[in-house]
Amino acid sequence: MIIKHRVDITGGIECGGFHYEVLCDDESRRLLEGTQRLGECLNLHHIIRLHHGYSSLGETFLHECLEAISYIYLDSDIKHTQISGLAQGLYQVLHSLGIEFDVKWGQDGKPYKARAQPESEGSDTPVCAFDGNGTGANEGVGFGEGRCE
């Protein structure tokens, strides 16, 4: 497949009138490795964190975008396995069209970081996470039982 268009995701996304920052820096990588996840969506802070060390960056990015969409438009009323399946399918369609998601790299050779992490990220922060195997990693994270609320 010839990649025709690379989409820089470091500028973030707009969803439901909110700007979600996309962080793909060493701090995000460290935090995600500690939880064995490839990405997470912090809906109250409007932040998507991605682990930049894996080839599944595009699929993980789409997964976390779908988590934000589910939170805003569907009141998180969608199963995590459905989000994983939609992300995988959407990624395949976009990839077949030559569209890839990319991270802007700084002059220091590190992924661009849009801003500092929020200061108050406690255990009560709703988190929707993707562990890369389609089963989700919400157990013990955020509110509810496997739901991203």
Side-chain angles (χ1 to χ4, degrees):
M1 169 56 48
I2 297 175
I3 302 304
K4 299 175 188 173
H5 187 67
R6 291 195 179 275
V7 178
D8 179 15
I9 60 175
T10 51
I13 63 165
E14 301 296 319
C15 184
F18 298 101
H19 178 77
Y20 276 72
E21 294 189 68
V22 176
L23 301 177
C24 191
D25 56 357
D26 289 335
E27 176 71 7
S28 295
R29 180 180 180 169
R30 183 186 61 76
L31 290 169
L32 291 167
E33 282 179 347
T35 61
Q36 298 181 343
R37 292 184 255 165
L38 299 179
E40 67 182 359
C41 181
L42 302 169
N43 283 303
L44 289 183
H45 295 290
H46 305 115
I47 292 174
I48 292 174
R49 273 200 197 108
L50 301 171
H51 190 300
H52 61 81
Y54 291 94
S55 61
S56 59
L57 178 74
E59 184 182 331
T60 304
F61 170 69
L62 288 173
H63 178 101
E64 301 309 333
C65 289
L66 289 170
E67 295 282 9
I69 292 167
S70 173
Y71 178 78
I72 291 171
Y73 293 105
L74 302 172
D75 195 29
S76 297
D77 194 25
I78 187 171
K79 293 179 183 176
H80 198 262
T81 54
Q82 292 171 315
I83 288 176
S84 295
L86 287 169
Q88 291 170 0
L90 185 57
Y91 175 77
Q92 290 174 4
V93 168
L94 293 174
H95 185 76
S96 74
L97 294 171
I99 299 170
E100 282 289 331
F101 297 100
D102 209 350
V103 175
K104 181 175 161 185
W105 295 85
Q107 292 180 354
D108 59 358
K110 294 183 179 179
Y112 173 76
K113 183 175 180 180
R115 69 170 180 81
Q117 304 291 328
E119 293 179 18
S120 60
E121 285 188 25
S123 61
D124 61 339
T125 302
V127 174
C128 300
F130 181 55
D131 61 5
N133 64 16
T135 61
N138 289 337
E139 293 73 28
V141 181
F143 302 113
E145 297 177 10
R147 284 185 45 177
C148 302
E149 300 182 15

